[in-house]
PDB file of all heavy atoms in Angstrom:
ATOM      1  N   GLN Z 465     356.554  83.169 206.656  1.00  0.00           N
ATOM      2  CA  GLN Z 465     357.617  83.134 207.643  1.00  0.00           C
ATOM      3  C   GLN Z 465     358.008  81.670 207.933  1.00  0.00           C
ATOM      4  O   GLN Z 465     359.167  81.349 208.185  1.00  0.00           O
ATOM      5  CB  GLN Z 465     357.206  83.840 208.879  1.00  0.00           C
ATOM      6  CG  GLN Z 465     357.210  85.360 208.752  1.00  0.00           C
ATOM      7  CD  GLN Z 465     356.636  86.099 209.946  1.00  0.00           C
ATOM      8  OE1 GLN Z 465     355.752  85.582 210.634  1.00  0.00           O
ATOM      9  NE2 GLN Z 465     357.108  87.327 210.206  1.00  0.00           N
ATOM     10  N   ILE Z 466     356.982  80.775 207.874  1.00  0.00           N
ATOM     11  CA  ILE Z 466     357.287  79.361 208.063  1.00  0.00           C
ATOM     12  C   ILE Z 466     358.114  78.876 206.845  1.00  0.00           C
ATOM     13  O   ILE Z 466     359.090  78.085 207.030  1.00  0.00           O
ATOM     14  CB  ILE Z 466     355.958  78.563 208.133  1.00  0.00           C
ATOM     15  CG1 ILE Z 466     355.201  78.907 209.418  1.00  0.00           C
ATOM     16  CG2 ILE Z 466     356.266  77.032 208.140  1.00  0.00           C
ATOM     17  CD1 ILE Z 466     353.779  78.373 209.458  1.00  0.00           C
ATOM     18  N   CYS Z 467     357.764  79.302 205.664  1.00  0.00           N
ATOM     19  CA  CYS Z 467     358.532  78.981 204.471  1.00  0.00           C
ATOM     20  C   CYS Z 467     359.971  79.452 204.631  1.00  0.00           C
ATOM     21  O   CYS Z 467     360.946  78.708 204.354  1.00  0.00           O
ATOM     22  CB  CYS Z 467     357.921  79.588 203.237  1.00  0.00           C
ATOM     23  SG  CYS Z 467     356.314  78.922 202.757  1.00  0.00           S
ATOM     24  N   GLU Z 468     360.144  80.704 205.063  1.00  0.00           N
ATOM     25  CA  GLU Z 468     361.474  81.270 205.238  1.00  0.00           C
ATOM     26  C   GLU Z 468     362.274  80.474 206.252  1.00  0.00           C
ATOM     27  O   GLU Z 468     363.476  80.230 206.084  1.00  0.00           O
ATOM     28  CB  GLU Z 468     361.340  82.710 205.689  1.00  0.00           C
ATOM     29  CG  GLU Z 468     362.695  83.412 205.875  1.00  0.00           C
ATOM     30  CD  GLU Z 468     362.564  84.784 206.524  1.00  0.00           C
ATOM     31  OE1 GLU Z 468     361.619  84.945 207.358  1.00  0.00           O
ATOM     32  OE2 GLU Z 468     363.397  85.661 206.284  1.00  0.00           O
ATOM     33  N   LYS Z 469     361.652  80.049 207.315  1.00  0.00           N
ATOM     34  CA  LYS Z 469     362.334  79.251 208.346  1.00  0.00           C
ATOM     35  C   LYS Z 469     362.907  77.971 207.788  1.00  0.00           C
ATOM     36  O   LYS Z 469     363.939  77.504 208.259  1.00  0.00           O
ATOM     37  CB  LYS Z 469     361.316  78.946 209.471  1.00  0.00           C
ATOM     38  CG  LYS Z 469     361.819  77.986 210.564  1.00  0.00           C
ATOM     39  CD  LYS Z 469     360.728  77.665 211.541  1.00  0.00           C
ATOM     40  CE  LYS Z 469     361.150  76.622 212.541  1.00  0.00           C
ATOM     41  NZ  LYS Z 469     360.053  76.205 213.456  1.00  0.00           N
ATOM     42  N   HIS Z 470     362.212  77.385 206.815  1.00  0.00           N
ATOM     43  CA  HIS Z 470     362.649  76.126 206.249  1.00  0.00           C
ATOM     44  C   HIS Z 470     363.347  76.294 204.912  1.00  0.00           C
ATOM     45  O   HIS Z 470     363.508  75.344 204.135  1.00  0.00           O
ATOM     46  CB  HIS Z 470     361.458  75.154 206.111  1.00  0.00           C
ATOM     47  CG  HIS Z 470     360.956  74.667 207.436  1.00  0.00           C
ATOM     48  ND1 HIS Z 470     361.638  73.708 208.176  1.00  0.00           N
ATOM     49  CD2 HIS Z 470     359.823  74.976 208.108  1.00  0.00           C
ATOM     50  CE1 HIS Z 470     360.957  73.473 209.294  1.00  0.00           C
ATOM     51  NE2 HIS Z 470     359.853  74.215 209.274  1.00  0.00           N
ATOM     52  N   LEU Z 471     363.815  77.500 204.639  1.00  0.00           N
ATOM     53  CA  LEU Z 471     364.492  77.807 203.357  1.00  0.00           C
ATOM     54  C   LEU Z 471     365.979  77.886 203.581  1.00  0.00           C
ATOM     55  O   LEU Z 471     366.448  78.483 204.552  1.00  0.00           O
ATOM     56  CB  LEU Z 471     363.971  79.137 202.800  1.00  0.00           C
ATOM     57  CG  LEU Z 471     364.134  79.458 201.330  1.00  0.00           C
ATOM     58  CD1 LEU Z 471     363.396  78.472 200.478  1.00  0.00           C
ATOM     59  CD2 LEU Z 471     363.660  80.850 201.045  1.00  0.00           C
ATOM     60  N   SER Z 472     366.737  77.243 202.692  1.00  0.00           N
ATOM     61  CA  SER Z 472     368.203  77.374 202.777  1.00  0.00           C
ATOM     62  C   SER Z 472     368.637  78.821 202.525  1.00  0.00           C
ATOM     63  O   SER Z 472     367.853  79.648 201.991  1.00  0.00           O
ATOM     64  CB  SER Z 472     368.860  76.439 201.761  1.00  0.00           C
ATOM     65  OG  SER Z 472     368.511  76.802 200.434  1.00  0.00           O
ATOM     66  N   SER Z 473     369.852  79.164 202.884  1.00  0.00           N
ATOM     67  CA  SER Z 473     370.288  80.569 202.826  1.00  0.00           C
ATOM     68  C   SER Z 473     370.213  81.140 201.420  1.00  0.00           C
ATOM     69  O   SER Z 473     370.007  82.323 201.216  1.00  0.00           O
ATOM     70  CB  SER Z 473     371.712  80.669 203.362  1.00  0.00           C
ATOM     71  OG  SER Z 473     372.614  79.848 202.597  1.00  0.00           O
ATOM     72  N   GLU Z 474     370.403  80.294 200.406  1.00  0.00           N
ATOM     73  CA  GLU Z 474     370.325  80.762 199.019  1.00  0.00           C
ATOM     74  C   GLU Z 474     369.037  80.280 198.362  1.00  0.00           C
ATOM     75  O   GLU Z 474     368.895  80.331 197.112  1.00  0.00           O
ATOM     76  CB  GLU Z 474     371.514  80.188 198.200  1.00  0.00           C
ATOM     77  CG  GLU Z 474     372.861  80.569 198.759  1.00  0.00           C
ATOM     78  CD  GLU Z 474     373.175  82.023 198.646  1.00  0.00           C
ATOM     79  OE1 GLU Z 474     372.940  82.590 197.553  1.00  0.00           O
ATOM     80  OE2 GLU Z 474     373.640  82.622 199.617  1.00  0.00           O
ATOM     81  N   GLY Z 475     368.037  79.888 199.174  1.00  0.00           N
ATOM     82  CA  GLY Z 475     366.837  79.286 198.657  1.00  0.00           C
ATOM     83  C   GLY Z 475     365.849  80.286 198.072  1.00  0.00           C
ATOM     84  O   GLY Z 475     365.985  81.502 198.236  1.00  0.00           O
ATOM     85  N   VAL Z 476     364.767  79.744 197.452  1.00  0.00           N
ATOM     86  CA  VAL Z 476     363.776  80.604 196.764  1.00  0.00           C
ATOM     87  C   VAL Z 476     362.380  79.985 196.968  1.00  0.00           C
ATOM     88  O   VAL Z 476     362.208  78.751 197.022  1.00  0.00           O
ATOM     89  CB  VAL Z 476     364.136  80.710 195.270  1.00  0.00           C
ATOM     90  CG1 VAL Z 476     364.148  79.329 194.601  1.00  0.00           C
ATOM     91  CG2 VAL Z 476     363.195  81.658 194.558  1.00  0.00           C
ATOM     92  N   VAL Z 477     361.390  80.859 197.112  1.00  0.00           N
ATOM     93  CA  VAL Z 477     359.990  80.453 197.251  1.00  0.00           C
ATOM     94  C   VAL Z 477     359.230  80.946 196.001  1.00  0.00           C
ATOM     95  O   VAL Z 477     359.419  82.099 195.609  1.00  0.00           O
ATOM     96  CB  VAL Z 477     359.387  81.034 198.522  1.00  0.00           C
ATOM     97  CG1 VAL Z 477     357.868  80.655 198.590  1.00  0.00           C
ATOM     98  CG2 VAL Z 477     360.104  80.504 199.776  1.00  0.00           C
ATOM     99  N   LEU Z 478     358.383  80.068 195.452  1.00  0.00           N
ATOM    100  CA  LEU Z 478     357.559  80.481 194.299  1.00  0.00           C
ATOM    101  C   LEU Z 478     356.099  80.175 194.627  1.00  0.00           C
ATOM    102  O   LEU Z 478     355.786  79.127 195.200  1.00  0.00           O
ATOM    103  CB  LEU Z 478     357.959  79.735 193.008  1.00  0.00           C
ATOM    104  CG  LEU Z 478     359.427  79.932 192.571  1.00  0.00           C
ATOM    105  CD1 LEU Z 478     360.272  78.758 193.047  1.00  0.00           C
ATOM    106  CD2 LEU Z 478     359.545  80.054 191.063  1.00  0.00           C
ATOM    107  N   ALA Z 479     355.207  81.121 194.281  1.00  0.00           N
ATOM    108  CA  ALA Z 479     353.777  80.943 194.576  1.00  0.00           C
ATOM    109  C   ALA Z 479     352.966  81.289 193.324  1.00  0.00           C
ATOM    110  O   ALA Z 479     353.210  82.303 192.685  1.00  0.00           O
ATOM    111  CB  ALA Z 479     353.330  81.780 195.749  1.00  0.00           C
ATOM    112  N   ASN Z 480     352.035  80.432 192.995  1.00  0.00           N
ATOM    113  CA  ASN Z 480     351.136  80.680 191.835  1.00  0.00           C
ATOM    114  C   ASN Z 480     349.936  81.505 192.274  1.00  0.00           C
ATOM    115  O   ASN Z 480     349.231  81.160 193.210  1.00  0.00           O
ATOM    116  CB  ASN Z 480     350.635  79.293 191.308  1.00  0.00           C
ATOM    117  CG  ASN Z 480     349.644  79.438 190.196  1.00  0.00           C
ATOM    118  OD1 ASN Z 480     349.632  80.430 189.466  1.00  0.00           O
ATOM    119  ND2 ASN Z 480     348.770  78.453 190.070  1.00  0.00           N
ATOM    120  N   LEU Z 481     349.717  82.621 191.577  1.00  0.00           N
ATOM    121  CA  LEU Z 481     348.546  83.477 191.807  1.00  0.00           C
ATOM    122  C   LEU Z 481     347.717  83.550 190.524  1.00  0.00           C
ATOM    123  O   LEU Z 481     348.256  83.429 189.407  1.00  0.00           O
ATOM    124  CB  LEU Z 481     349.003  84.887 192.189  1.00  0.00           C
ATOM    125  CG  LEU Z 481     349.741  85.087 193.490  1.00  0.00           C
ATOM    126  CD1 LEU Z 481     350.037  86.613 193.682  1.00  0.00           C
ATOM    127  CD2 LEU Z 481     348.975  84.546 194.661  1.00  0.00           C
ATOM    128  N   LEU Z 482     346.428  83.837 190.695  1.00  0.00           N
ATOM    129  CA  LEU Z 482     345.540  84.021 189.555  1.00  0.00           C
ATOM    130  C   LEU Z 482     345.313  85.523 189.357  1.00  0.00           C
ATOM    131  O   LEU Z 482     345.078  86.227 190.327  1.00  0.00           O
ATOM    132  CB  LEU Z 482     344.245  83.330 189.756  1.00  0.00           C
ATOM    133  CG  LEU Z 482     344.340  81.786 189.918  1.00  0.00           C
ATOM    134  CD1 LEU Z 482     342.943  81.158 190.111  1.00  0.00           C
ATOM    135  CD2 LEU Z 482     344.983  81.185 188.680  1.00  0.00           C
ATOM    136  N   HIS Z 483     345.361  86.007 188.089  1.00  0.00           N
ATOM    137  CA  HIS Z 483     345.207  87.432 187.846  1.00  0.00           C
ATOM    138  C   HIS Z 483     343.859  87.971 188.331  1.00  0.00           C
ATOM    139  O   HIS Z 483     343.778  89.113 188.813  1.00  0.00           O
ATOM    140  CB  HIS Z 483     345.284  87.679 186.340  1.00  0.00           C
ATOM    141  CG  HIS Z 483     346.624  87.395 185.742  1.00  0.00           C
ATOM    142  ND1 HIS Z 483     346.882  87.234 184.421  1.00  0.00           N
ATOM    143  CD2 HIS Z 483     347.842  87.233 186.356  1.00  0.00           C
ATOM    144  CE1 HIS Z 483     348.145  86.980 184.196  1.00  0.00           C
ATOM    145  NE2 HIS Z 483     348.763  86.954 185.333  1.00  0.00           N
ATOM    146  N   ARG Z 484     342.828  87.138 188.265  1.00  0.00           N
ATOM    147  CA  ARG Z 484     341.513  87.612 188.658  1.00  0.00           C
ATOM    148  C   ARG Z 484     341.245  87.581 190.157  1.00  0.00           C
ATOM    149  O   ARG Z 484     340.189  87.905 190.581  1.00  0.00           O
ATOM    150  CB  ARG Z 484     340.437  86.824 187.907  1.00  0.00           C
ATOM    151  CG  ARG Z 484     340.338  85.362 188.325  1.00  0.00           C
ATOM    152  CD  ARG Z 484     339.154  84.711 187.611  1.00  0.00           C
ATOM    153  NE  ARG Z 484     338.960  83.298 187.894  1.00  0.00           N
ATOM    154  CZ  ARG Z 484     339.540  82.368 187.204  1.00  0.00           C
ATOM    155  NH1 ARG Z 484     340.367  82.617 186.186  1.00  0.00           N
ATOM    156  NH2 ARG Z 484     339.330  81.066 187.528  1.00  0.00           N
ATOM    157  N   ASP Z 485     342.243  87.154 190.908  1.00  0.00           N
ATOM    158  CA  ASP Z 485     342.139  87.165 192.379  1.00  0.00           C
ATOM    159  C   ASP Z 485     341.839  88.564 192.890  1.00  0.00           C
ATOM    160  O   ASP Z 485     342.607  89.517 192.619  1.00  0.00           O
ATOM    161  CB  ASP Z 485     343.444  86.637 192.988  1.00  0.00           C
ATOM    162  CG  ASP Z 485     343.310  86.355 194.480  1.00  0.00           C
ATOM    163  OD1 ASP Z 485     342.548  87.049 195.169  1.00  0.00           O
ATOM    164  OD2 ASP Z 485     344.024  85.428 194.949  1.00  0.00           O
ATOM    165  N   GLU Z 486     340.732  88.705 193.624  1.00  0.00           N
ATOM    166  CA  GLU Z 486     340.349  90.037 194.127  1.00  0.00           C
ATOM    167  C   GLU Z 486     341.414  90.589 195.069  1.00  0.00           C
ATOM    168  O   GLU Z 486     341.496  91.821 195.216  1.00  0.00           O
ATOM    169  CB  GLU Z 486     339.027  89.901 194.865  1.00  0.00           C
ATOM    170  CG  GLU Z 486     338.444  91.172 195.408  1.00  0.00           C
ATOM    171  CD  GLU Z 486     337.142  90.972 196.148  1.00  0.00           C
ATOM    172  OE1 GLU Z 486     336.558  89.881 196.075  1.00  0.00           O
ATOM    173  OE2 GLU Z 486     336.703  91.918 196.835  1.00  0.00           O
ATOM    174  N   PHE Z 487     342.212  89.736 195.647  1.00  0.00           N
ATOM    175  CA  PHE Z 487     343.214  90.180 196.595  1.00  0.00           C
ATOM    176  C   PHE Z 487     344.638  89.998 196.069  1.00  0.00           C
ATOM    177  O   PHE Z 487     345.600  89.744 196.806  1.00  0.00           O
ATOM    178  CB  PHE Z 487     343.044  89.391 197.912  1.00  0.00           C
ATOM    179  CG  PHE Z 487     341.677  89.579 198.548  1.00  0.00           C
ATOM    180  CD1 PHE Z 487     340.690  88.637 198.365  1.00  0.00           C
ATOM    181  CD2 PHE Z 487     341.375  90.706 199.298  1.00  0.00           C
ATOM    182  CE1 PHE Z 487     339.417  88.794 198.885  1.00  0.00           C
ATOM    183  CE2 PHE Z 487     340.137  90.903 199.834  1.00  0.00           C
ATOM    184  CZ  PHE Z 487     339.152  89.962 199.631  1.00  0.00           C
ATOM    185  N   TYR Z 488     344.765  90.118 194.764  1.00  0.00           N
ATOM    186  CA  TYR Z 488     346.055  89.951 194.056  1.00  0.00           C
ATOM    187  C   TYR Z 488     347.156  90.862 194.659  1.00  0.00           C
ATOM    188  O   TYR Z 488     348.218  90.387 195.021  1.00  0.00           O
ATOM    189  CB  TYR Z 488     345.798  90.268 192.623  1.00  0.00           C
ATOM    190  CG  TYR Z 488     346.967  90.084 191.627  1.00  0.00           C
ATOM    191  CD1 TYR Z 488     347.311  88.796 191.206  1.00  0.00           C
ATOM    192  CD2 TYR Z 488     347.651  91.162 191.080  1.00  0.00           C
ATOM    193  CE1 TYR Z 488     348.348  88.602 190.301  1.00  0.00           C
ATOM    194  CE2 TYR Z 488     348.622  91.007 190.157  1.00  0.00           C
ATOM    195  CZ  TYR Z 488     349.003  89.711 189.761  1.00  0.00           C
ATOM    196  OH  TYR Z 488     350.009  89.557 188.858  1.00  0.00           O
ATOM    197  N   ALA Z 489     346.884  92.135 194.806  1.00  0.00           N
ATOM    198  CA  ALA Z 489     347.869  93.074 195.286  1.00  0.00           C
ATOM    199  C   ALA Z 489     348.219  92.784 196.756  1.00  0.00           C
ATOM    200  O   ALA Z 489     349.418  92.838 197.136  1.00  0.00           O
ATOM    201  CB  ALA Z 489     347.353  94.516 195.192  1.00  0.00           C
ATOM    202  N   GLU Z 490     347.210  92.428 197.551  1.00  0.00           N
ATOM    203  CA  GLU Z 490     347.461  92.118 198.949  1.00  0.00           C
ATOM    204  C   GLU Z 490     348.407  90.908 199.131  1.00  0.00           C
ATOM    205  O   GLU Z 490     349.285  90.887 200.016  1.00  0.00           O
ATOM    206  CB  GLU Z 490     346.145  91.842 199.703  1.00  0.00           C
ATOM    207  CG  GLU Z 490     345.312  93.081 200.005  1.00  0.00           C
ATOM    208  CD  GLU Z 490     344.547  93.602 198.807  1.00  0.00           C
ATOM    209  OE1 GLU Z 490     344.601  92.948 197.719  1.00  0.00           O
ATOM    210  OE2 GLU Z 490     343.869  94.655 198.914  1.00  0.00           O
ATOM    211  N   LYS Z 491     348.220  89.918 198.270  1.00  0.00           N
ATOM    212  CA  LYS Z 491     349.059  88.725 198.364  1.00  0.00           C
ATOM    213  C   LYS Z 491     350.501  89.021 197.958  1.00  0.00           C
ATOM    214  O   LYS Z 491     351.429  88.472 198.558  1.00  0.00           O
ATOM    215  CB  LYS Z 491     348.460  87.591 197.538  1.00  0.00           C
ATOM    216  CG  LYS Z 491     347.170  87.104 198.146  1.00  0.00           C
ATOM    217  CD  LYS Z 491     346.424  86.062 197.317  1.00  0.00           C
ATOM    218  CE  LYS Z 491     345.172  85.625 198.054  1.00  0.00           C
ATOM    219  NZ  LYS Z 491     344.348  84.699 197.288  1.00  0.00           N
ATOM    220  N   ILE Z 492     350.674  89.921 196.998  1.00  0.00           N
ATOM    221  CA  ILE Z 492     352.031  90.319 196.653  1.00  0.00           C
ATOM    222  C   ILE Z 492     352.686  91.121 197.773  1.00  0.00           C
ATOM    223  O   ILE Z 492     353.850  90.926 198.126  1.00  0.00           O
ATOM    224  CB  ILE Z 492     352.014  91.097 195.322  1.00  0.00           C
ATOM    225  CG1 ILE Z 492     351.531  90.188 194.195  1.00  0.00           C
ATOM    226  CG2 ILE Z 492     353.413  91.648 195.029  1.00  0.00           C
ATOM    227  CD1 ILE Z 492     351.308  90.893 192.870  1.00  0.00           C
ATOM    228  N   THR Z 493     351.937  92.059 198.329  1.00  0.00           N
ATOM    229  CA  THR Z 493     352.446  92.871 199.433  1.00  0.00           C
ATOM    230  C   THR Z 493     352.824  91.983 200.623  1.00  0.00           C
ATOM    231  O   THR Z 493     353.880  92.226 201.270  1.00  0.00           O
ATOM    232  CB  THR Z 493     351.400  93.924 199.886  1.00  0.00           C
ATOM    233  OG1 THR Z 493     351.207  94.824 198.797  1.00  0.00           O
ATOM    234  CG2 THR Z 493     351.855  94.683 201.080  1.00  0.00           C
ATOM    235  N   THR Z 494     352.021  91.021 200.905  1.00  0.00           N
ATOM    236  CA  THR Z 494     352.309  90.103 202.000  1.00  0.00           C
ATOM    237  C   THR Z 494     353.610  89.330 201.759  1.00  0.00           C
ATOM    238  O   THR Z 494     354.451  89.190 202.633  1.00  0.00           O
ATOM    239  CB  THR Z 494     351.142  89.076 202.201  1.00  0.00           C
ATOM    240  OG1 THR Z 494     349.937  89.818 202.418  1.00  0.00           O
ATOM    241  CG2 THR Z 494     351.393  88.152 203.329  1.00  0.00           C
ATOM    242  N   PHE Z 495     353.768  88.878 200.545  1.00  0.00           N
ATOM    243  CA  PHE Z 495     355.004  88.198 200.142  1.00  0.00           C
ATOM    244  C   PHE Z 495     356.202  89.083 200.317  1.00  0.00           C
ATOM    245  O   PHE Z 495     357.259  88.698 200.797  1.00  0.00           O
ATOM    246  CB  PHE Z 495     354.816  87.751 198.676  1.00  0.00           C
ATOM    247  CG  PHE Z 495     355.705  86.612 198.195  1.00  0.00           C
ATOM    248  CD1 PHE Z 495     355.393  85.313 198.586  1.00  0.00           C
ATOM    249  CD2 PHE Z 495     356.768  86.847 197.351  1.00  0.00           C
ATOM    250  CE1 PHE Z 495     356.124  84.240 198.101  1.00  0.00           C
ATOM    251  CE2 PHE Z 495     357.519  85.778 196.909  1.00  0.00           C
ATOM    252  CZ  PHE Z 495     357.221  84.475 197.271  1.00  0.00           C
ATOM    253  N   GLN Z 496     356.066  90.345 199.901  1.00  0.00           N
ATOM    254  CA  GLN Z 496     357.162  91.306 200.022  1.00  0.00           C
ATOM    255  C   GLN Z 496     357.536  91.620 201.461  1.00  0.00           C
ATOM    256  O   GLN Z 496     358.657  92.068 201.721  1.00  0.00           O
ATOM    257  CB  GLN Z 496     356.771  92.620 199.324  1.00  0.00           C
ATOM    258  CG  GLN Z 496     356.723  92.514 197.811  1.00  0.00           C
ATOM    259  CD  GLN Z 496     356.256  93.818 197.155  1.00  0.00           C
ATOM    260  OE1 GLN Z 496     355.317  94.471 197.676  1.00  0.00           O
ATOM    261  NE2 GLN Z 496     356.844  94.151 196.018  1.00  0.00           N
TER     262      GLN Z 496
END
Side-chain angles (χ1 to χ4, degrees):
Q465 287 172 329
I466 295 168
C467 292
E468 182 190 29
K469 173 185 174 183
H470 289 288
L471 200 62
S472 63
S473 59
E474 303 293 314
V476 60
V477 176
L478 301 98
N480 176 28
L481 295 183
L482 299 179
H483 295 163
R484 66 175 179 272
D485 190 326
E486 183 181 348
F487 301 98
Y488 184 75
E490 284 79 2
K491 290 175 180 176
I492 296 173
T493 295
T494 303
F495 202 75
Q496 289 176 320

